[in-house]
Amino acid sequence: GMGGLGGYYGGEYDEIVARNLVPVIYDASHLEGLARAARAWAGVRPTSAQTRERLDRLALAITAQRASAIDLLVREAGKVRADAETEVDLLTRKIALTTGAGLLRTPLAADPRTLPRTFSEPVIGWRPRGVALCVGPFNFPLHLLHGLVVPALAMGCPVIAKPSERCPALALWYRDRLR
């Protein structure tokens, strides 16, 4: 769901909030892109192995271009070098976390009812919901956008990523790594 962005608060849909807030965040081109992605996604389900391989390749691509990402964060986002290094390093950690414990609870890996658990643990099963539109903020232009993109990709959802317009070179850098 859209969470607070789409007018859902405490389980209730607030049409006035949705009508006033959503057009500010999403223009018509985003909605057209979502519709195209939804049509293309219908019936496409990558296997767990395919998903893991793609995310592992993304981690390698990020690691190979670590220095350029750090330089861009310093130049475009105004980060101090130490903070930029931490932000970039968190990108590969997010992938490792997601492809490790995260994928164990997906239907791509196993039926959640067959996972080992104690009697008191709830059964959690994550599954793809459809196209994910991930909007990135300017203050952590790579880390926070990436933190939305990776789990969606891991679940087998197509992603439309809208990075911060304040960091266009970082947006291009991230797009190139995703390809």
Side-chain angles (χ1 to χ4, degrees):
M2 302 234 323
L5 295 180
Y8 283 96
Y9 296 92
E12 298 293 322
Y13 184 74
D14 184 334
E15 186 175 334
I16 293 171
V17 171
R19 214 177 28 235
N20 291 327
L21 183 58
V22 173
V24 172
I25 297 171
Y26 309 112
D27 64 24
S29 65
H30 294 115
L31 297 176
E32 291 166 12
L34 280 171
R36 279 194 312 275
R39 285 190 300 273
W41 181 66
V44 175
R45 299 291 187 277
T47 66
S48 183
Q50 289 170 326
T51 298
R52 184 180 303 275
E53 179 187 336
R54 289 174 185 158
L55 290 173
D56 287 345
R57 280 196 320 257
L58 175 58
L60 290 173
I62 289 168
T63 300
Q65 294 296 315
R66 180 180 182 272
S68 62
I70 291 167
D71 290 343
L72 287 169
L73 279 167
V74 169
R75 188 172 61 243
E76 278 198 329
K79 302 261 182 181
V80 296
R81 184 157 293 278
D83 289 346
E85 290 170 352
T86 299
E87 184 167 346
V88 173
D89 291 341
L90 286 172
L91 303 179
T92 53
R93 289 184 194 148
K94 178 65 175 183
I95 292 171
L97 176 66
T98 302
T99 58
L103 281 180
L104 291 178
R105 292 196 176 268
T106 69
L108 300 175
D111 181 343
R113 294 169 296 189
T114 65
L115 294 173
R117 64 186 183 101
T118 65
F119 182 72
S120 62
E121 283 184 282
V123 174
I124 300 170
W126 298 327
R127 60 187 170 86
R129 300 278 186 173
V131 180
L133 176 58
C134 302
V135 179
F138 73 93
N139 56 338
F140 290 93
L142 286 176
H143 172 62
L144 293 180
L145 179 64
H146 184 73
L148 299 170
V149 168
V150 168
L153 290 174
M155 292 309 311
C157 297
V159 173
I160 296 176
K162 193 271 179 207
S164 171
E165 66 280 357
R166 293 186 186 185
C167 302
L170 274 168
L172 294 174
W173 182 93
Y174 190 60
R175 181 206 60 196
D176 292 345
R177 304 297 77 73
L178 286 169
R179 289 186 170 173

